[in-house]
Amino acid sequence: MKRLVVALLICAVFLWFVVSGNAEEGKLKVGFIYVGPVGDFGWSYAHDQARQIVEATYPWIETVYVEAVPEGEVEGVIDRLINQEGVDIVVTTSFGFMDGTLAAAQRYPDKIFFHCSGFKRAPNMATYMADFHQVYYLNGIIAGALTKTNKLGYVGAFPIPELKRHINAFTLGARRVNPNAQVLVRWLQTSWYDPAGAKEAAESLIAEGADVLAFTEDSPTVVQVAAEHGLPSFGHYSPMYKFAPDFVVSGQLVHWEAIYLDFFAKVYAGLYTSKNLENVDYWWLLREGAVELGADFGMPINPVFEERLKSTIVNDPVYGEISVYDLVFALLKAMADPEYAFSPFTGPIRDRKGNLRVPEGVRLTMDELITMEWAAEGIVGAWPGEPE
Amino acid sequence: MGSLISGIIGRTLAYSVPLLLATLGEIYVERAGVLNLGIEGMMSLGALVAFAVAFSFSNPWFGVVAGGMAAGGAALLHALCSITLRANQVVSGLSLGMLGMGISGVLGRNFEGKVLGATLPVYRMPFLSSLPGFEKHNVFVYLSLGLAVFLWFVLFRTRWGIVIRSVGENPAACDAMGINVSTVRYTCVVFGGVLAGLAGAYLSLGYRPSWSYGMTGGIGWLSIALTIFAFWNPLWGLVGAYLFGLLYQLSFRFQAHVSPELLNTLPYVFPLIALSFVSRLAARKRIGPPASLGVPYKRE
């Protein structure tokens, strides 16, 4: 008798778990997969901030996340999210998750997949990206005006088209106001998160004379190193103002929630289904509010540097005599314009080998932007995969 | 040219500190006959505790002490398993490593992205500061350098050193001589843990004042390799750590001229080559690992 009671109890508890494990009726359950730890203060952190905003905004959404997933193991994590957590939408937030996500999308044709920064899609798999090249261009303008040595330093994690595009935009911006500006580049080629590498790379740039630093790596290391030497720098991905309030000039900030809120609402409304995502690709920029120029949210330029930038007057080919400060805001407005009044990649642009990459009056298309391999004039340093 | 050389030396000194500290600790642990593969975890724990305490009390020195103690406490766990309970040291050490990483990751959630107001200060040392590369440094730079020499002296020129080495070679003979094998081993394991914790504290309070999961970046694992490279000798450990640090930061400095892919492999390839040369020398001189390394001692 006693044994029977215990057995029944165990069954009841088990059943309760099974029942309560399923999503609430009518709610959309979304599972996020991050490549890094949510505390990296970079890429994965920004995605997780957006996830929290989404959950707080839409009462009909429920989210779960898995962090620090190695790129080769994404399929197993997707299986778990779908079979055990019962999610309806899987969001994979790293380029390296692309093939795993596509394979899972084919295995679960009724579920919806949303992959960040890739180019492979399926009827139930859409892609999205919030790109920084416009913001980098503005940061480049500021950096070009601030440098005294005419050497800007850039620490990049991996030599892939995304970073090459950003460094090119940064360089083009710097040389718009300072034709003598050079951008010295150092690659880590280890990991998106490599504080020790970023530190030594930044130190080596400073030793070579760079006096303004920008970077693509998922920690505030470069900002901290620059501040130690009393040099200005630009934050990346998250607001890094607080790490060096006197030295972070500006930076690139992301609003992934802009994309998530739009996409999930359209899924909830039935506009996007697991049948019609083949051509859904978000490529959101300043205009859509997916990215922001700033040292902190709502602080496009650190007030510490305002005076200096206002008193630096340049002779701009379009705006004539104008202060760097005003030029940044004029271009910010032009790029946030609904018609894309200005693109940093408007010809004529030559690469550093002298080839004409963008002819006069031509503007690069999105496809050309996301496959960019060449290095703009003014870039100094190794450039793996540089075309002849 | 002068500033180039002093810059290179200065960065080598600053980068190599955690590697050197952890290696010195592991040398003592292994000299006493215990293998501790959990350095990465202890270092991570030390880094977190040091940061958390320094952040809460706005005093970096409290952090240094707490970080060393936390990692020393973690090492005590390994000592208990491997010395008293005579568990498999590889398994115990590896689990300590995973435990340290996991615990620091979970407990450190609230400290990620926090800004540390009080960081470890940099000092100019009299006499030393006139040498190229020694202009001014975190106190740990001088400390680790001095410690390497001091620990070498203790290990090879004092009675304590003989006791430690003997316990690692032949614990039964030591036991017969009236030396308490367990006490010596416990002391060395905890000491190794404290040094790993100090290495972590240096990372989170000095080298890059912040805490984030995974900030130790494999230095703990590297120090295990370096212990072998150094043939369990603190002075060779010093050479190895500085050699690695030199090549590591040169790989960034020369990137504009040499392929970065090649440069990235140098810090790992070069010690490997050096190791193969040194090992031939060692074979001739009959230097090898402590005879009882990894073997739990049991009185017959």
Side-chain angles (χ1 to χ4, degrees):
Chain A
M1 186 61 201
K2 211 172 173 184
R3 210 175 272 178
L4 188 73
V5 173
V6 171
L8 275 175
L9 263 176
I10 290 172
C11 282
V13 169
F14 181 74
L15 270 175
W16 180 75
F17 270 115
V18 169
V19 172
S20 64
N22 282 332
E24 271 178 64
E25 202 56 38
K27 269 201 175 186
L28 205 59
K29 190 161 181 181
V30 185
F32 287 77
I33 300 176
Y34 307 132
V35 70
V38 291
D40 66 1
F41 227 72
W43 177 267
S44 297
Y45 173 83
H47 280 283
D48 196 60
Q49 292 291 306
R51 179 190 65 81
Q52 292 173 26
I53 292 171
V54 166
E55 192 162 82
T57 310
Y58 292 154
W60 41 263
I61 228 165
E62 192 187 340
T63 65
V64 288
Y65 72 87
V66 188
E67 62 182 323
V69 174
E71 296 187 329
E73 292 172 21
V74 66
E75 276 192 73
V77 177
I78 294 175
D79 285 339
R80 205 180 83 207
L81 281 175
I82 288 176
N83 297 326
Q84 286 173 22
E85 297 282 345
V87 301
D88 308 297
I89 303 176
V90 177
V91 181
T92 51
T93 63
S94 178
F95 180 80
F97 292 155
M98 181 165 68
D99 291 326
T101 310
L102 187 66
Q106 282 154 357
R107 223 171 30 245
Y108 302 101
D110 296 334
K111 303 289 177 187
I112 288 175
F113 294 83
F114 204 30
H115 176 240
C116 187
S117 79
F119 54 82
K120 291 184 182 170
R121 278 176 292 280
N124 59 337
M125 176 176 166
T127 50
Y128 66 101
M129 183 66 183
D131 196 68
F132 280 141
H133 71 274
Q134 299 169 316
V135 184
Y136 268 109
Y137 186 76
L138 299 173
N139 284 164
I141 290 176
I142 301 170
L146 288 178
T147 177
K148 295 191 182 87
T149 60
N150 289 333
K151 286 177 180 169
L152 314 176
Y154 198 106
V155 178
F158 291 104
I160 59 170
E162 180 191 337
L163 268 72
K164 290 178 175 175
R165 171 173 76 242
H166 292 166
I167 298 171
N168 281 338
F170 186 74
T171 311
L172 291 171
R175 286 168 78 93
R176 177 166 181 155
V177 295
N178 181 352
N180 297 319
Q182 290 184 324
V183 178
L184 316 182
V185 181
R186 291 289 181 277
W187 302 106
L188 302 178
Q189 303 206 11
T190 47
S191 158
W192 289 105
Y193 171 76
D194 180 8
K199 168 132 184 167
E200 297 307 326
E203 291 278 1
S204 80
L205 286 167
I206 293 168
E208 240 178 81
D211 65 348
V212 183
L213 298 187
F215 68 99
T216 311
E217 187 260 347
D218 290 343
S219 79
T221 308
V222 173
V223 162
Q224 287 177 311
V225 174
E228 260 176 56
H229 289 267
L231 299 175
S233 62
F234 295 87
H236 181 63
Y237 251 101
S238 303
M240 295 189 175
Y241 171 73
K242 63 175 178 178
F243 288 98
D246 291 333
F247 299 104
V248 178
V249 193
S250 183
Q252 310 88 41
L253 300 171
V254 72
H255 292 280
W256 290 113
E257 67 275 13
I259 294 175
Y260 290 146
L261 289 172
D262 187 87
F263 183 76
F264 297 149
K266 284 176 178 162
V267 171
Y268 189 64
L271 205 61
Y272 287 157
T273 66
S274 56
K275 306 276 180 287
N276 64 2
L277 299 178
E278 189 87 65
N279 295 313
V280 175
D281 179 27
Y282 286 71
W283 168 258
W284 277 21
L285 308 167
L286 280 168
R287 182 178 71 171
E288 293 85 1
V291 296
E292 183 182 337
L293 170 80
D296 204 343
F297 290 118
M299 186 203 286
I301 291 177
N302 186 339
V304 172
F305 292 91
E306 212 173 291
E307 247 347 275
R308 226 170 118 190
L309 294 171
K310 277 181 174 160
S311 60
T312 311
I313 308 294
V314 292
N315 196 356
D316 189 77
V318 177
Y319 296 91
E321 295 260 315
I322 187 170
S323 80
V324 170
Y325 190 85
D326 291 337
L327 179 64
V328 167
F329 283 96
L331 287 169
L332 182 63
K333 194 165 166 247
M335 286 193 279
D337 183 86
E339 299 296 320
Y340 283 131
F342 171 72
S343 160
F345 291 100
T346 309
I349 298 173
R350 287 182 181 280
D351 68 15
R352 64 177 182 179
K353 294 192 164 158
N355 305 314
L356 187 67
R357 287 291 170 184
V358 192
E360 177 117 34
V362 173
R363 187 183 282 193
L364 287 187
T365 63
M366 188 190 121
D367 282 342
E368 287 166 322
L369 286 176
I370 63 173
T371 54
M372 187 177 289
E373 290 284 359
W374 48 272
E377 255 178 315
I379 291 173
V380 180
W383 199 264
E386 184 170 11
E388 275 311 306
Chain B
M1 191 63 195
S3 75
L4 178 74
I5 289 173
S6 76
I8 288 174
I9 296 175
R11 291 311 315 154
T12 302
L13 291 174
Y15 173 79
S16 307
V17 168
L19 191 56
L20 178 55
L21 282 176
T23 305
L24 291 176
E26 183 70 6
I27 287 174
Y28 264 61
V29 177
E30 295 194 10
R31 275 288 181 181
V34 182
L35 184 67
N36 188 352
L37 298 179
I39 302 183
E40 185 84 3
M42 297 190 296
M43 197 187 289
S44 181
L45 206 60
L48 168 68
V49 172
F51 183 85
V53 170
F55 182 82
S56 311
F57 293 93
S58 304
N59 184 331
W61 302 109
F62 286 5
V64 169
V65 173
M69 276 168 49
L76 199 60
L77 205 63
H78 177 66
L80 183 74
C81 292
S82 59
I83 302 167
T84 307
L85 303 178
R86 298 190 200 93
N88 184 320
Q89 299 183 4
V90 174
V91 176
S92 164
L94 284 177
S95 20
L96 174 68
M98 287 186 240
L99 197 70
M101 290 302 288
I103 288 180
S104 55
V106 171
L107 296 182
R109 278 286 154 77
N110 296 328
F111 292 99
E112 287 188 328
K114 288 276 192 303
V115 182
L116 187 64
T119 59
L120 285 174
V122 288
Y123 292 105
R124 282 179 175 282
M125 295 298 258
F127 308 116
L128 268 181
S129 65
S130 56
L131 293 173
F134 282 87
E135 287 79 7
K136 56 175 189 200
H137 277 295
N138 189 300
V139 66
F140 272 73
V141 171
Y142 310 111
L143 186 83
S144 58
L145 189 60
L147 202 60
V149 178
F150 175 73
L151 289 180
W152 172 83
F153 183 81
V154 170
L155 198 57
F156 292 108
R157 293 287 181 274
T158 67
R159 208 190 95 85
W160 289 354
I162 295 174
V163 168
I164 291 170
R165 285 185 289 146
S166 313
V167 165
E169 296 291 343
N170 193 341
C174 290
D175 198 16
M177 300 269 295
I179 295 168
N180 190 331
V181 174
S182 289
T183 310
V184 174
R185 288 191 166 174
Y186 261 93
T187 313
C188 285
V189 170
V190 171
F191 177 69
V194 170
L195 284 194
L198 292 182
Y202 171 76
L203 283 174
S204 68
L205 302 177
Y207 183 74
R208 189 180 83 92
S210 65
W211 158 256
S212 47
Y213 177 73
M215 70 182 296
T216 45
I219 292 173
W221 296 109
L222 208 58
S223 68
I224 293 169
L226 207 57
T227 303
I228 303 167
F229 169 76
F231 289 98
W232 298 270
N233 180 333
L235 286 184
W236 277 110
L238 183 84
V239 172
Y242 284 163
L243 185 65
F244 183 87
L246 175 75
L247 291 167
Y248 185 81
Q249 55 100 7
L250 281 184
S251 70
F252 292 109
R253 216 163 267 252
F254 292 145
Q255 216 183 67
H257 317 289
V258 188
S259 138
E261 289 85 355
L262 180 70
L263 286 171
N264 278 348
T265 60
L266 275 189
Y268 304 92
V269 168
F270 195 76
L272 212 63
I273 296 169
L275 182 65
S276 57
F277 275 102
V278 178
S279 67
R280 286 184 59 187
L281 194 81
R284 212 175 305 148
K285 285 188 162 184
R286 293 171 190 275
I287 305 174
S292 302
L293 178 60
V295 185
Y297 174 63
K298 194 178 174 205
R299 191 178 280 180
E300 294 299 324

